[in-house]
Structure formats: structure tokens, C-alpha cells
Amino acid sequence: MYKPATIKDIALALKLSPSTVSRALRDGYEISVETKRIVMEYAQKVNYKSNPIALSLKNRRTYSIGIVVPKLANSFFSQAIAGIESIAYEKGYHTIITQTHDSSERERTNVNHLAQRSVDGLLISMSAGTSDYSFLKTLHEDGLPIVFFDRVIDEIDTFKVTSDNFKGAYNATESLIKKGRKKIALLSNAPQLSITNERLSGYMKALADYHVHFRPEYIRNCSKGGNDYEEVEDAVKELLALPDKPDAIFISSDRISISCVRALKHLNFDPKEIAIAGFSNSDVVDLLHPSLSYVRQKAFEMGQIAVEMLLKLIESKYPVTEFETRVLDTELHLVDPK
Amino acid sequence: MYKPATIKDIALALKLSPSTVSRALRDGYEISVETKRIVMEYAQKVNYKSNPIALSLKNRRTYSIGIVVPKLANSFFSQAIAGIESIAYEKGYHTIITQTHDSSERERTNVNHLAQRSVDGLLISMSAGTSDYSFLKTLHEDGLPIVFFDRVIDEIDTFKVTSDNFKGAYNATESLIKKGRKKIALLSNAPQLSITNERLSGYMKALADYHVHFRPEYIRNCSKGGNDYEEVEDAVKELLALPDKPDAIFISSDRISISCVRALKHLNFDPKEIAIAGFSNSDVVDLLHPSLSYVRQKAFEMGQIAVEMLLKLIESKYPVTEFETRVLDTELHLVDPK
DNA sequence: TTGAAAGCGCTAACAC
DNA sequence: GTGTTAGCGCTTTCAA
């Protein structure tokens, strides 16, 4: 293992004290111009880099923030992360990204790992399986700054950013109705998730507003959140095997939208027969066949806002007690099946 | 910010010395069972967690490895990362993921950031734009363990894992020939990349073996690697505007494959008219329209192998001088356009 | 303007 | 079996 130059090394070489070198390097006002010059030059020469670990130990700050998402392969999250990074880097923070694969278990270990590694704060979008939030609550009460994005929870009072899931779902459902569809099924995500219920409400409200009969048998929950294709295909099969089968499906989750498209393709369904609309931030959703209308979330922007909130918490000199929840608009993209 | 319990706190409370507490906590053999019990219990009670920053400072080990990839949104990389994590977590290592967006500039800052944060080693897949490897060379010579995967470079002698890009490209091109196509264009990635040339060779060899005339005007490089859609669409347009226009395209890059599909869709090309085959690890490639045959890389496995190599380097007691380059098979998936 | 010394949390010689 | 001390790299009083 290699050993980078330290302040001590420089001090020794230059016959100065470590403290002088330290001050010179940080351009301290007490140090003479001449000394600074000498120190800087030598530091340059030996390629001195301050050791952030030592700094962290001293300052109890790491200038890194932890990100916990269910799945990197989900475009929504990789877009959100890009947004987070864009701001974080600018402000001199490093990001540590971890994924949970929607496992509550991995979520807990990842979060603890991050907290122990002393990130200055945490950005998290909850896993589908999680119902016990105590590990987060404890950390939060201990003073770890946390901001939730997209998949938020009520149990912890802090900054949050989400999409207007209600309206997104409403608009998508409405678009199906306006296409003349009256028998609209719902493929939904794990019921623990905040977003699942909001989207369900939007769907229901649209049905009600347009006097479309609501049928409980048209609702299917895919509690594995589209991570398990079989689950989605089974749900689609069941829907299409109903005596009075739906003529449209609204899918309230990113990954499940993709799985539903795949299921319809496998089952050889004509998109004209079954119209679909769903949440999706996939960057190829416009190329899918069967095609679908889709609700897009402002993922990048959500990431940016989340990290700005977190930095506010981290950098605040006094404990923050006023928390805001931002709700971002969604965009509906209509696609006519060919 | 909150202040977690330290060894000192425990020592003070229990009227023991810090070293005794330290040893007791790590179940040191010299410590009496009784003392251990007392210490353990008290530690439990105050929720003692060892401070990894202090440990890192002491041990010059962080048990974290840095990952540098061009783009998380690229399925190939998110799959590789999943592979990396699967092994890393198991062995008690933490991963720090960063993306460069194929910018040489961000690559350099990310790598330096990671090296400074004292990761124990680095897994890297090079950005398309990079041609100056000196920053990596320096770190490597200074003793930082580095393993390259997928997009490797010759300039640094260490462990590497890639796919059999030559054969993948050969097989894909061959499949187009076997479909009766004789005018096969090539959409290619940035020429600096190792994989670009290997795939080019595979394409050329297939043409040669089947006595298909090679035409330089059928080759187009998209040096932005599919990050810039316009570039790809222009390339496709140019190809299709040639007097003797191609009847097939082989695309030698993941992201460009997607962009090419999009271009063909925009330009309203019938997949029967232009057959396409390309590298892609997208998890929805089978749902794309126009459809394409695709070469899939063993991304997850590649990640696993890469991290295993890295751990070998990290945990080796002696400097390693024998390096291996593993080459993984690719899988060709044939799709008939409808 | 510069230096000496203490301390962040932990471990490991070396005592006793 | 337990305590003392020094040190990882850095900053920061305090003293000179």
C-alpha cells in the first residue's frame, strides 16, 4: 500500500512545524506570504493531498451523503441520482449510492452501514417490503439528517419530495376513459408504499368523476413491485380471464408497466384490444411494443430538490423544526397504439 | 449533531482503561470472561458502535471499494454493479458508486475523489472520451489496486475482465449475413474504447469469412457513444441516404443500439427493409419496436469476477505481479422482425 | 509570524 | 488480566 505525503512530512522537509504547514496550506491569515509560497510549492511537488479520513475524524463531517434507492436499474432512480449528484458535486459533497433491491433487510443494513460510515446525511426512497421504520427513526432521533424522496413515509417528520401521484394517476386514467374505455383495470404496486395509495386514489377519483363503474375485481396488487415478472404476468392473465374482461389497464408503477407490456406481448394481445397507460420513466418507453401512454415523473428535478433540502438540514447551525413537503407535477404522454 | 458513545466513555463509566474495553469488545483472548460480559452489556446498553473513520485512520483500510462507470442508466453497468455488490457485501466491503457520464473530466475528479477518500481499491470501466490515462497510472504506481472491466486499457498492467467482443460482433454480423443481408453497415462507438476496435474486428472478420464486400462508407462512428441521440440519427440518415443503401445495420454499442432503434422509428423504416442487430443489455430490448437481434454481455458475472480480482489484489500480503485478463462469452439472441 | 501540545476514536506495543 | 502510552493525519488553542 502506498503512503501519500502528510503535513508532517512537509513540515519535516521544510523545517517548519505541522501547524504552520497546516495553516499555510489553508491560506491562514497569520502566515507570511513567503512561507505560504514555500509550503504550497513543496506540497505541489510531493503531490500532497489532505487526508479526508483524518479530517472527518477531527471535524465530525465527511462531506458525503448517502443515497438509498430500491434499484439502480430503474430509470426513475438513476435519473433522480443524476439530479442529486449534479447539486452535490457542485457543493463539494460526495455521494455514496446503495441499492436495496426492494429488500427491507438490505435496506436496513445499507442504512446502518452508511450511518456508521458517518455520512453527513441520508437521501432515501423506501423499499417496497419495508413496514418497520424503527431503524430509521432511531437514526433520525439521534440527529442524522434524512430526506425522503418519491417513496416517503409519514412516520418520520422531515423534508420530503414526491410527485403528484394522485394527479398523475388521475390524468392517466382519465385519458383512458376519454379514449372510450370503460372497463379499466389497475395494476398496482406494494400496498405499503405511499405512492401506491396516492395513485390508487387518483384512479378511483377519475372513475368516479366520469361515472365509470368501479369494480374491485379489476384491481391487482403486485407486491413485488415488478421485480418478479411472473407475478405481473399472472395478474394480467387473471384480469384477462375475467368473464367481463377489462378493455384497458392503468399501471401505477414504473417496473410493473414494463412487465405488463411484456405480459401483453407474450399473451399476444393487440394493443387496440387492451389500451394501457402507466407510470414510467424508462428512456425507451416510446419504443415499446405494445405501446402505452405514460406518466413521467420529474426524477432529475426531484433528486435536485431532495439534496438541496438535505444540505439545508446538514448545514443549518440550529436544529430545523419546520419541514416542507414538495410535490412535483407529472407529465402525461399520450401514445396512440398502432 | 449527536455524539455516539465511544470506547473512552465506556471505559470511564466502567472504571476500566480504553484498551481493556477495546480488547473486550473485540473479544480479545487476554480479557477475563467477566470483564467481557460487563463491557459487552454496557456497550449494548449505550448502543456503542465502533467509529469506522477512526478505524480507517488507524488501519489505513476502509473496507470500501470505489466503482467508476460511465452511466448508471446504462443497463449493462447497473447489472455489473449488482454483480459487484453481491460479492463485495458478502466479503464485508462497502461500494461507492460514481458515474462519469462519459466525461473524461468527471472521470478524473471522481477517481481522485475516491482515491483521496481512501477506498481500498478501484473498479473502473473507462469513459468514451478519455485518452489521457496518466491520472490512473499515477495512482496505480502509487499502489492503489485497480481492476478494469469491460472498457479496459492496455496502458496499465493489472487484472482485467471483458467480454469476447470480437466473437459477439462476429456472431451478430454473421446472423445478418445468414438472413441474406449483404449490405451491412456498422454503427460504432468512440474509437478510443477497447471494445470498439474488438467489435469492429469481429464485424470485418465475419464479412471476410462470408465473402461479403467490405465498404468503408458503411462505417459510422458515434463518438459520443449514444449519449447524443442526434449524432446517431444523423449517422443513420447518412447511411440510408447512400446511393447503394445498406439492408442491415450492426450496432456495436449498447446505448447506440437504442438510439438506432429510435432513429429507424422516427424515419419510419420498416424492420424488414433494414435488419438490425446490436449489442444491448437493456432489460426491455425484447420489447422494442423496430425489433432487433441482440448480443448480450454477462454483465452481472463480469462485475463479480472484477471484484473478486480486486479483492485478491487488496488482500494480498505481497505485491501481485502476475495479472490475468478474463474474457467472457456473449450470448446472441436472434429476433425475427415482424 | 511561528511552534508546542492536545485531541478526534481507536488499537497495539509494552509495561505491570 | 489490565493499564499506560503513543500514534494514525489533521486542526486548534495557547504560548512564544
Side-chain angles (χ1 to χ4, degrees):
Chain A
M1 197 43 189
Y2 79 113
K3 201 185 160 309
T6 71
I7 282 196
K8 233 190 206 166
D9 298 335
I10 301 182
L12 220 60
L14 263 37
K15 296 191 197 305
L16 288 168
S17 77
S19 38
T20 304
V21 175
S22 168
R23 281 186 278 241
L25 286 171
R26 278 169 311 117
D27 203 24
Y29 67 98
E30 319 106 304
I31 305 296
S32 76
V33 185
E34 178 58 8
T35 311
K36 275 184 193 165
R37 197 187 52 72
I38 296 176
V39 171
M40 293 294 198
E41 261 172 22
Y42 189 78
Q44 185 86 38
K45 192 182 134 213
V46 298
N47 191 27
Y48 170 80
K49 294 271 169 45
S50 78
N51 179 333
I53 306 228
L55 274 179
S56 298
L57 185 59
K58 185 104 195 80
N59 303 335
R60 305 155 143 274
R61 283 289 298 281
T62 58
Y63 289 94
S64 64
I65 62 186
I67 304 178
V68 182
V69 296
K71 230 177 182 50
L72 290 179
N74 182 332
S75 304
F76 171 79
F77 292 115
S78 50
Q79 289 157 19
I81 288 172
I84 293 169
E85 285 180 334
S86 72
I87 303 281
Y89 275 89
E90 198 177 282
K91 305 263 176 124
Y93 283 79
H94 203 70
T95 53
I96 303 186
I97 306 164
T98 68
Q99 56 182 335
T100 66
H101 299 280
D102 266 318
S103 141
S104 183
E105 169 68 17
R106 293 202 53 173
E107 183 170 63
R108 216 189 51 249
T109 58
N110 284 2
V111 165
N112 284 329
H113 214 139
L114 288 172
Q116 281 175 47
R117 265 214 80 69
S118 311
V119 291
D120 293 342
L122 209 57
L123 293 171
I124 184 167
S125 194
M126 301 300 292
S127 291
T130 309
S131 51
D132 177 10
Y133 311 115
S134 56
F135 67 103
L136 272 178
K137 245 182 174 152
T138 310
L139 288 170
H140 185 242
E141 281 160 8
D142 282 350
L144 181 70
I146 300 179
V147 168
F148 292 93
F149 67 101
D150 190 45
R151 302 173 171 196
V152 305
I153 60 175
D154 286 333
E155 283 75 1
I156 295 181
D157 195 25
T158 181
F159 285 105
K160 291 160 196 170
V161 214
T162 67
S163 289
D164 194 338
N165 290 299
F166 176 87
K167 202 160 140 220
Y170 184 98
N171 291 343
T173 310
E174 184 184 41
S175 79
L176 291 169
I177 297 171
K178 286 194 172 160
K179 276 187 189 156
R181 309 289 169 154
K182 298 273 172 188
K183 299 187 283 184
I184 304 174
L186 170 65
L187 271 182
S188 191
N189 210 333
Q192 299 93 307
L193 293 175
S194 53
I195 56 177
T196 300
N197 294 312
E198 294 164 24
R199 293 174 188 178
L200 171 64
S201 305
Y203 161 83
M204 305 259 285
K205 184 65 161 51
L207 293 189
D209 282 1
Y210 286 88
H211 311 293
V212 175
H213 184 49
F214 166 68
R215 318 189 197 195
E217 71 272 25
Y218 277 1
I219 297 200
R220 286 288 183 284
N221 276 303
C222 300
S223 46
K224 286 168 191 149
N227 293 313
D228 177 7
Y229 169 68
E230 299 300 330
E231 187 186 48
V232 179
E233 182 171 316
D234 288 349
V236 172
K237 265 191 200 150
E238 282 170 34
L239 284 173
L240 298 180
L242 287 174
D244 193 7
K245 76 165 198 270
D247 57 10
I249 305 179
F250 165 58
I251 309 132
S252 85
S253 143
D254 213 301
R255 304 282 292 182
I256 299 175
S257 291
I258 301 289
S259 296
C260 177
V261 169
R262 178 167 287 120
L264 289 176
K265 182 187 175 115
H266 281 191
L267 301 171
N268 268 316
F269 264 90
D270 188 326
K272 281 177 197 126
E273 206 173 337
I274 306 283
I276 52 180
F279 274 78
S280 178
N281 269 54
S282 161
D283 53 355
V284 291
V285 61
D286 58 317
L287 301 177
L288 296 184
H289 188 85
S291 62
L292 72 165
S293 295
Y294 54 97
V295 179
R296 184 161 289 257
Q297 298 182 77
K298 294 178 176 166
F300 189 88
E301 203 181 338
M302 191 184 288
Q304 294 190 307
I305 294 172
V307 71
E308 273 166 356
M309 288 171 158
L310 185 64
L311 293 182
K312 211 181 283 180
L313 282 178
I314 291 175
E315 296 180 346
S316 156
K317 299 218 165 46
Y318 312 99
V320 180
T321 52
E322 287 282 297
F323 301 112
E324 187 193 0
T325 294
R326 285 281 295 277
V327 177
L328 306 186
D329 259 1
T330 58
E331 295 161 1
L332 177 63
H333 294 252
L334 291 173
V335 175
D336 277 320
K338 286 195 211 165
Chain B
M1 198 45 189
Y2 78 113
K3 200 183 160 312
T6 72
I7 282 196
K8 233 189 203 164
D9 298 335
I10 301 182
L12 221 59
L14 264 36
K15 296 191 200 305
L16 288 168
S17 77
S19 43
T20 305
V21 175
S22 168
R23 282 185 279 241
L25 286 170
R26 280 169 309 120
D27 202 25
Y29 66 99
E30 320 107 300
I31 306 296
S32 76
V33 185
E34 177 59 8
T35 311
K36 275 184 193 163
R37 197 187 53 72
I38 297 176
V39 171
M40 294 292 200
E41 260 171 23
Y42 187 78
Q44 183 87 38
K45 193 182 132 213
V46 297
N47 190 28
Y48 170 81
K49 295 269 169 47
S50 80
N51 179 335
I53 305 228
L55 274 180
S56 297
L57 186 59
K58 185 108 199 55
N59 302 336
R60 302 152 146 280
R61 281 291 298 279
T62 58
Y63 288 95
S64 64
I65 62 187
I67 304 177
V68 183
V69 296
K71 229 179 184 49
L72 291 178
N74 183 331
S75 304
F76 171 78
F77 292 114
S78 50
Q79 289 158 17
I81 288 172
I84 293 170
E85 285 180 333
S86 71
I87 303 281
Y89 275 89
E90 198 176 280
K91 305 265 177 123
Y93 282 80
H94 203 70
T95 54
I96 303 186
I97 305 164
T98 67
Q99 55 183 336
T100 66
H101 299 280
D102 266 319
S103 140
S104 183
E105 169 68 18
R106 293 202 55 174
E107 183 170 62
R108 216 189 52 247
T109 58
N110 285 2
V111 166
N112 284 329
H113 214 139
L114 288 172
Q116 282 174 47
R117 264 214 81 68
S118 311
V119 291
D120 294 341
L122 208 58
L123 292 172
I124 184 166
S125 194
M126 301 300 292
S127 292
T130 308
S131 51
D132 177 11
Y133 311 114
S134 56
F135 67 103
L136 272 178
K137 245 182 173 152
T138 310
L139 288 170
H140 184 243
E141 283 161 7
D142 283 349
L144 180 70
I146 300 179
V147 169
F148 292 92
F149 67 101
D150 190 45
R151 301 174 172 196
V152 305
I153 59 176
D154 286 333
E155 283 75 1
I156 295 181
D157 194 25
T158 180
F159 285 105
K160 293 162 195 170
V161 214
T162 66
S163 290
D164 194 338
N165 290 298
F166 176 87
K167 202 160 140 218
Y170 184 98
N171 291 344
T173 309
E174 182 184 44
S175 79
L176 291 170
I177 297 171
K178 285 194 172 160
K179 274 187 189 156
R181 309 289 168 154
K182 299 271 172 187
K183 299 186 283 183
I184 303 173
L186 169 65
L187 271 182
S188 190
N189 210 333
Q192 298 92 308
L193 293 175
S194 54
I195 55 176
T196 300
N197 294 311
E198 294 164 22
R199 293 174 189 177
L200 171 62
S201 305
Y203 161 83
M204 305 259 284
K205 184 65 162 49
L207 294 190
D209 282 0
Y210 285 87
H211 311 293
V212 175
H213 184 49
F214 165 68
R215 318 188 197 197
E217 72 271 24
Y218 276 1
I219 296 200
R220 285 289 183 283
N221 276 303
C222 300
S223 45
K224 286 168 190 151
N227 293 312
D228 177 7
Y229 169 68
E230 299 300 329
E231 186 186 48
V232 179
E233 181 171 316
D234 288 348
V236 172
K237 265 190 201 151
E238 282 170 33
L239 284 173
L240 298 180
L242 287 174
D244 192 7
K245 75 166 200 268
D247 57 11
I249 305 179
F250 165 58
I251 309 133
S252 84
S253 144
D254 213 303
R255 305 281 292 181
I256 299 176
S257 291
I258 302 289
S259 295
C260 178
V261 169
R262 177 167 287 119
L264 289 176
K265 183 187 173 115
H266 280 192
L267 302 171
N268 268 316
F269 265 90
D270 188 327
K272 281 179 200 125
E273 207 172 338
I274 307 283
I276 52 180
F279 273 77
S280 178
N281 270 55
S282 162
D283 52 354
V284 292
V285 62
D286 57 319
L287 301 177
L288 295 184
H289 188 86
S291 61
L292 71 165
S293 296
Y294 53 98
V295 180
R296 185 160 288 259
Q297 298 182 77
K298 294 177 175 166
F300 189 88
E301 203 181 336
M302 191 186 288
Q304 293 191 308
I305 294 173
V307 70
E308 274 167 354
M309 288 171 159
L310 185 64
L311 293 182
K312 211 181 284 180
L313 281 178
I314 292 175
E315 296 180 346
S316 155
K317 298 218 165 49
Y318 310 99
V320 181
T321 52
E322 287 282 297
F323 302 111
E324 187 193 1
T325 293
R326 284 281 296 277
V327 177
L328 306 186
D329 259 359
T330 58
E331 294 161 1
L332 176 63
H333 293 253
L334 291 174
V335 174
D336 276 320
K338 287 194 208 166

